[in-house]
Amino acid sequence: MPWSLRASTKTVGLQTPVLQFTKRDGISLGDLLGSCSVLGDTGSGKSTSAIYQIVSSLACKSCGLLLTSVKPDDANKMARFVGMSGRSDIHRFRLGVDAFNPLAHAQRTDRDQPGHLERIVELAMTPLRLQQQMGSTDPFFMYKAEYLIRACIILLDTTGMTLSFELLHRAITTLPEDPADACDPAWQSRSPVFDAIEKLDAQQGEMLASPAVDRDVLRAIAVCLEELPAMPDRTRGSVIATATSAWGPLLHGEVGRCVNTDHNTWTPELIARDHGITI
């Protein structure tokens, strides 16, 4: 299907074709809202005959795009191909240069909107759910892990700490193993949860003014300092492992530095709001 290589500003609908094979068979914008898999042998032209053409067609329609590639050479080809459409709003996201902390971004976005906390919890749970799809995680431990993650997020977020996978991992893995440990200065000195509780104590009149917030915070403290330490050692260890093991790849190296930053150089609004292209 021929198309113009000049970016269009016309409004397009879900039935707008992005790649037409015959008069009756093709791929529309609506199709791309689900899943589209291009299959073929190595060198069969999956990229040049389909993927790049779809990308170029979308770029010409002034759509926002997020293009991912495991091969730097493919990313370079995509950038050149998209550039042929006349688009100049192309951002090359590079590890070691760019940074995006999804938890901190969600924490700072739409704080007054319903479901704000649930969105942060769901982001933190996404690696766990992906890991669960690839193996057999006991539903009991998944439930307890989510319950624990939610409690830590409530305490850290309520006291204004910048959320990250690294901070959540440290908060959970340093929780007391016995209820009496909460009074131990050695534990207190290394625990982000204790830091949060100290801030709550210092700002109690302001931070706990709302009865709803008060209940959530007090419940979160009980989960971290009473319920988890009171579990049998093996059960507690399994809950903590379930909550934190899937975050491993997000804690170290260039990926760790990218997603645990305090300062984002890229946000999803560049695509969703500004209709830009990120590769």
Side-chain angles (χ1 to χ4, degrees):
M1 177 187 123
W3 59 80
S4 169
L5 285 179
R6 293 176 299 175
S8 170
T9 58
K10 294 181 180 180
T11 302
V12 295
L14 295 180
Q15 299 305 315
T16 302
V18 295
L19 185 61
Q20 199 76 42
F21 302 111
T22 69
K23 289 184 178 181
R24 302 179 62 178
D25 300 312
I27 298 173
S28 69
L29 284 176
D31 293 329
L32 297 180
L33 295 178
S35 298
C36 178
S37 180
V38 181
L39 306 176
D41 294 333
T42 302
S44 61
K46 297 183 296 296
S47 298
T48 55
S49 67
I51 295 176
Y52 291 151
Q53 309 240 21
I54 292 173
V55 168
S56 180
S57 183
L58 290 170
C60 291
K61 293 174 173 59
S62 299
C63 295
L65 296 173
L66 174 62
L67 309 174
T68 62
S69 173
V70 297
K71 300 178 182 178
D73 187 54
D74 284 353
N76 294 333
K77 290 179 181 177
M78 282 187 181
R80 290 196 299 270
F81 212 71
V82 170
M84 294 174 60
S85 68
R87 297 283 293 269
S88 59
D89 52 346
I90 304 172
H91 180 81
R92 290 291 301 275
F93 192 99
R94 293 179 173 88
L95 286 177
V97 177
D98 289 294
F100 174 58
N101 179 340
L103 298 182
H105 179 263
Q107 182 183 19
R108 297 163 184 162
T109 304
D110 298 330
R111 287 193 65 88
D112 298 327
Q113 298 299 314
H116 174 72
L117 174 66
E118 284 66 28
R119 286 192 290 274
I120 300 175
V121 173
E122 193 55 38
L123 274 174
M125 287 295 297
T126 297
L128 281 71
R129 302 201 195 286
L130 292 174
Q131 187 180 67
Q132 185 181 33
Q133 292 174 8
M134 296 184 291
S136 55
T137 304
D138 190 307
F140 170 81
F141 292 119
M142 279 292 290
Y143 169 77
K144 287 296 186 180
E146 182 171 358
Y147 197 52
L148 179 60
I149 289 169
R150 180 186 176 87
C152 288
I153 287 175
I154 287 174
L155 293 175
L156 301 174
D157 178 53
T158 301
T159 51
M161 296 186 185
T162 300
L163 294 176
S164 68
F165 289 104
E166 187 278 330
L167 178 62
L168 277 178
H169 184 274
R170 188 155 45 91
I172 291 173
T173 56
T174 58
L175 286 174
E177 298 180 358
D178 184 277
D181 291 343
C183 300
D184 182 358
W187 172 78
Q188 295 173 358
S189 67
R190 68 177 188 274
S191 170
V193 166
F194 180 77
D195 290 342
I197 294 172
E198 269 203 321
K199 289 183 179 180
L200 284 168
D201 284 341
Q203 306 173 24
Q204 186 171 1
E206 177 184 350
M207 300 293 287
L208 303 182
S210 165
V213 172
D214 183 51
R215 286 193 301 271
D216 285 344
V217 170
L218 292 179
R219 185 64 185 150
I221 293 173
V223 169
C224 293
L225 302 189
E226 298 174 11
E227 293 184 16
L228 183 74
M231 290 180 180
D233 289 347
R234 290 185 63 180
T235 303
R236 183 179 62 254
S238 295
V239 171
I240 291 175
T242 302
T244 60
S245 61
W247 295 338
L250 304 175
L251 303 178
H252 309 289
E254 289 188 339
V255 173
R257 289 188 290 273
C258 172
V259 301
N260 294 295
T261 180
D262 288 338
H263 305 287
N264 292 332
T265 64
W266 177 91
T267 67
E269 284 75 18
L270 292 175
I271 298 171
R273 182 191 62 207
D274 302 335
H275 306 292
I277 297 175
T278 295
I279 302 175

